[in-house]
């Protein structure tokens, strides 16, 4: 399922991907190509299957039928491709009684990162949490926690970043911060971001490609040329009219 | 090891649990020393010492289960802690074993301290070390694994926790006060060998139940269950 072949154009490909839970179809025949170097937005109403798709790509769920492939630059058969993928899930998974540093250190050790201390200090500075380094996470605000989770997601310098609703419930300034961070992340290297979100106005400013999911199916896929001609909101609403 | 260190940090930052663990450890040591008086009063009946080494140590381990802060595991599951770790590719079975080890140490140490005190005054070295190195690790390992898997697999971990705690208390009452009540009410005295045999059989049953749950657990069941919390 996770093929480690080099692919120049797409970083993720899904073919006929479907997922059923207790007879209920959550994803139905998903065919997607996510281009390398893109900021690919996945949008859709609640229950459309976005989170399920993300969980399948992260190996948390097995698809009922269909396949998917993630192509990163490492061709070694023994390589764990998860090391090329960073993620922010809907649930942050931080430990409230551990400090910001300790939360990052846990994942640094899971990923077996060299120069753990320098890397964590650098990331804490990058996300503006240096002064909260030794503070327990339970005292951080929601925005700070989300920044910490983002730092954790890029701890191992992944090629692919998968973000599941990273800005939900955040204040405007933090949303803008996230938007700029994601843009810079992609621009500064051979990186790709797959982002699931309801924040259409924010996505519109940065995404290069969009897939709309409705009731477990792909209702539309659009690239930057389509987005130049019409707004994301219009595309989203039009995809709903076809139901 | 990163997961084990995380487990121990989270467990031992709970000040209430630390206090209870110290109190229980001291209490168990006192009980272990107190059995010497009982042993002397009953005319140096070795069965008393064996009973405390094998049966009472198991019961007290079960009692520690009741004070263990399992809420941290429930919170971790609800907050997505497990999901996030598993998304890195970290093996599920290894994650469970490290979580189990964290609980195991909490159950084992107080009971082991009691057994060491009993070994010291009774000089029952073979029985004592058999208990320390085989019997207690087996039971406590089985209990810990059973407990962790049950709370992970259950749609409502709080209910699973209550159920297991109830069974633990029931076993404690049956094995410790059962013989006394049986004698006082019915005049029936249970042979110590029977009590010890029951305790050993129960320990194997616990380990078997734990192994079956451990084999059944999968990432989807774990995450899917958390969705319904």
């Amino acid at each position: 399922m996770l093929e480690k072949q080099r692919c120049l154009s797409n970083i993720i490909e899904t073919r006929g991907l479907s997922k059923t839970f207790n007879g209920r179809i959550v994803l139905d025949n998903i065919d997607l190509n996510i281009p390398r170097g893109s900021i690919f937005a996945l949008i859709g109403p609640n229950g459309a299957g976005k989170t399920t798709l993300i969980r399948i790509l992260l190996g948390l769920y097995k698809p009922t039928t269909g396949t998917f492939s993630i192509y990163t630059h490492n061709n070694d058969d023994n390589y764990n491709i998860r090391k090329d993928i960073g993620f922010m899930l809907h649930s942050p998974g931080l430990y409230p009684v551990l400090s910001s540093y300790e939360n990052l250190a846990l994942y640094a050790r899971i990923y077996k990162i060299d120069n753990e201390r320098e890397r964590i200090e650098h990331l804490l500075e990058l996300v503006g949490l240096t002064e909260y380094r030794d503070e327990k996470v339970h005292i951080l605000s929601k925005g700070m926690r989300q920044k910490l989770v983002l730092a954790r997601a890029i701890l191992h310098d992944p090629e692919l970043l998968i973000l599941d609703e990273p800005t939900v419930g955040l204040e405007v300034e933090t949303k803008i911060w996230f938007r700029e961070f994601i843009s810079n992340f992609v621009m500064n290297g051979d990186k790709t971001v797959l982002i699931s979100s309801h924040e259409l106005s924010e996505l519109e400013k940065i995404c290069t490609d969009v897939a709309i999911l409705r009731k477990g199916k792909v209702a539309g896929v659009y690239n930057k040329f389509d987005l130049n001609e019409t707004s994301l909101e219009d595309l989203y609403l039009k995809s709903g009219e076809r139901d | 090891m990163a997961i084990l260190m995380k487990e121990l940090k989270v467990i031992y930052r709970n000040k209430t649990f630390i206090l209870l663990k110290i109190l229980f450890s001291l209490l168990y040591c006192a009980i272990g020393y107190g059995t010497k008086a009982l042993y002397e009063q009953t005319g140096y009946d070795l069965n008393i010492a064996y009973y405390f080494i094998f049966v009472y140590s198991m019961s007290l381990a079960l009692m520690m289960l009741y004070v263990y802060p399992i809420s941290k595991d429930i919170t971790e599951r609800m907050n997505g802690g497990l999901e996030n770790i598993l998304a890195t590719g970290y093996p599920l079975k290894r994650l469970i074993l490290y979580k189990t080890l964290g609980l195991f140490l909490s159950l084992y140490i107080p009971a082991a301290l009691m057994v060491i005190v009993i070994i010291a005054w009774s000089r029952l070295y073979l029985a004592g070390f058999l208990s320390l190195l085989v019997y207690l690790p087996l039971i406590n390992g089985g209990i810990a694994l059973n407990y962790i898997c049950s709370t992970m697999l259950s749609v409502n971990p709080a209910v699973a926790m209550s159920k297991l705690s109830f069974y633990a208390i029931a076993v404690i009452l049956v094995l410790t006060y059962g013989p006394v009540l049986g004698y006082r009410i019915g005049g029936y005295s249970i042979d110590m060998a029977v009590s010890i045999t029951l305790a050993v059989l129960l320990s194997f049953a616990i380990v078997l139940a734990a192994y079956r749950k451990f084999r059944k657990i999968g990432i989807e069941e774990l995450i899917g269950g958390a969705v319904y919390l």
Side-chain angles (χ1 to χ4, degrees):
Chain A
M1 237 177 286
L2 295 180
E3 295 177 27
K4 303 182 198 71
Q5 300 163 6
R6 190 178 178 121
C7 178
L8 291 175
S9 55
N10 297 326
I11 195 165
I12 298 176
E13 290 179 354
T14 72
R15 293 289 174 265
L17 205 60
S18 299
K19 181 65 182 172
T20 307
F21 289 109
N22 297 326
R24 187 168 62 89
I25 299 172
V26 177
L27 288 177
D28 188 2
N29 202 32
I30 304 291
D31 286 331
L32 279 179
N33 294 322
I34 295 174
R36 188 179 297 282
S38 65
I39 300 176
F40 194 100
L42 194 61
I43 62 176
N46 292 334
K50 305 186 296 295
T51 296
T52 302
L53 177 59
I54 284 173
R55 283 181 170 157
I56 289 175
L57 294 175
L58 289 172
L60 294 171
Y61 287 164
K62 285 190 172 53
T64 308
T65 55
T67 61
F68 70 94
S69 302
I70 298 180
Y71 304 105
T72 62
H73 288 115
N74 197 308
N75 292 331
D76 187 348
D77 283 340
N78 294 322
Y79 184 71
N80 178 7
I81 204 168
R82 305 276 184 94
K83 288 189 176 179
D84 285 338
I85 304 172
F87 56 86
M88 280 180 74
L89 297 178
H90 198 67
S91 303
L94 294 171
Y95 294 90
V97 298
L98 300 183
S99 67
S100 303
Y101 184 94
E102 286 168 333
N103 269 279
L104 293 182
L106 169 64
Y107 281 78
R109 284 162 207 163
I110 290 174
Y111 286 124
K112 296 187 174 59
I113 292 184
D114 299 326
N115 302 318
E116 172 189 305
R117 183 181 287 272
E118 289 87 346
R119 181 71 182 152
I120 293 173
E121 302 282 10
H122 166 69
L123 287 172
L124 285 173
E125 191 180 338
L126 193 65
V127 299
L129 290 176
T130 304
E131 65 179 285
Y132 297 96
R133 178 196 190 275
D134 297 319
E135 297 290 347
K136 294 203 178 22
V137 160
H138 69 82
I139 71 141
L140 301 184
S141 68
K142 184 166 166 64
M144 289 176 186
R145 291 185 206 193
Q146 285 298 91
K147 286 183 180 179
L148 187 62
V149 175
L150 182 62
R152 190 183 69 193
I154 60 171
L155 199 53
H156 52 304
D157 195 23
E159 270 184 63
L160 169 64
L161 197 55
I162 299 178
L163 309 174
D164 191 359
E165 302 198 36
T167 58
V168 70
L170 298 183
E171 56 175 6
V172 171
E173 280 127 343
T174 312
K175 285 182 187 177
I176 294 169
W177 183 92
F178 262 85
R179 188 216 313 151
E180 289 171 355
F181 191 98
I182 291 166
S183 289
N184 292 334
F185 178 77
V186 172
M187 276 196 310
N188 291 342
D190 183 17
K191 310 284 193 193
T192 309
V193 173
L194 169 63
I195 176 168
S196 153
S197 178
H198 292 294
E199 309 276 354
L200 298 186
S201 57
E202 288 296 313
L203 285 177
E204 199 157 39
K205 295 180 174 105
I206 53 168
C207 70
T208 58
D209 299 79
V210 174
I212 303 175
L213 288 189
R214 286 190 180 273
K215 294 179 186 172
K217 297 184 187 188
V218 175
V221 181
Y222 307 96
N223 59 30
K224 53 189 163 192
F225 300 109
D226 303 314
L227 293 169
N228 282 340
E229 291 183 9
T230 187
S231 74
L232 196 51
E233 189 175 314
D234 284 341
L235 290 171
Y236 180 73
L237 291 172
K238 276 183 192 157
S239 71
E241 286 166 10
R242 285 187 227 124
D243 281 349
Chain B
M1 280 302 285
I3 301 294
L4 177 61
M5 293 314 298
K6 181 265 296 175
E7 286 295 310
L8 293 175
K9 274 185 193 167
V10 173
I11 292 168
Y12 290 103
R13 284 194 187 169
N14 185 322
K15 294 189 176 85
T16 307
F17 177 69
I18 292 177
L19 185 63
L20 283 170
K21 188 162 178 193
I22 293 171
L23 281 173
F24 272 80
S25 297
L26 290 171
L27 179 65
Y28 290 8
C29 287
I31 290 171
Y33 190 73
T35 57
K36 184 179 178 212
L38 196 62
Y39 172 68
E40 287 163 358
Q41 276 186 7
T42 55
Y44 304 94
D45 184 354
L46 274 177
N47 284 327
I48 298 291
Y50 284 124
Y51 178 79
F52 274 89
I53 286 173
F54 288 104
V55 180
Y56 217 70
S57 61
M58 186 186 88
S59 308
L60 294 183
L62 290 171
M63 195 171 284
M64 276 305 297
L65 196 65
Y66 207 62
V67 302
Y68 181 76
I70 198 70
S71 57
K72 66 158 187 70
D73 293 299
I74 297 171
T75 305
E76 181 184 29
R77 197 172 148 204
M78 287 174 70
N79 284 349
L82 296 177
E83 187 181 0
N84 277 271
I85 290 174
L86 292 168
T88 65
Y90 197 88
L92 172 62
K93 304 288 189 203
R94 202 191 305 173
L95 173 66
I96 294 170
L97 287 176
Y98 276 130
K99 290 182 77 60
T100 302
L101 192 53
L103 172 55
F104 167 79
L105 290 170
S106 301
L107 300 180
Y108 177 76
I109 290 171
L113 287 172
M114 187 186 84
V115 171
I116 288 171
V117 169
I118 297 174
I119 292 172
W121 65 254
S122 69
R123 300 177 203 268
L124 292 171
Y125 297 115
L126 182 60
F129 286 119
L130 201 64
S131 176
L132 273 180
L133 300 174
V134 179
Y135 177 66
L136 276 181
L138 203 65
I139 299 166
N140 288 304
I143 292 168
L145 187 58
N146 204 329
Y147 207 59
I148 294 293
C149 290
S150 296
T151 50
M152 276 188 169
L153 276 175
S154 172
V155 170
N156 191 336
V159 170
M161 183 188 85
S162 299
K163 213 192 274 187
L164 280 170
S165 297
F166 171 78
Y167 288 135
I169 297 295
V171 167
I172 291 167
L173 287 174
V174 165
L175 285 180
T176 56
Y177 298 109
V180 174
L181 282 174
Y183 182 75
R184 286 194 175 239
I185 296 169
Y188 180 71
S189 132
I190 298 175
D191 194 86
M192 289 298 172
V194 172
S195 291
I196 292 167
T197 305
L198 275 174
V200 171
L201 287 174
L202 190 61
S203 70
F204 279 111
I206 290 169
V207 172
L208 187 63
Y211 179 67
R212 285 174 64 192
K213 279 197 180 134
F214 180 67
R215 282 196 61 186
K216 210 166 62 168
I217 203 163
I219 296 178
E220 244 179 83
E221 289 78 22
L222 200 154
I223 293 169
V227 170
Y228 297 108
L229 285 175

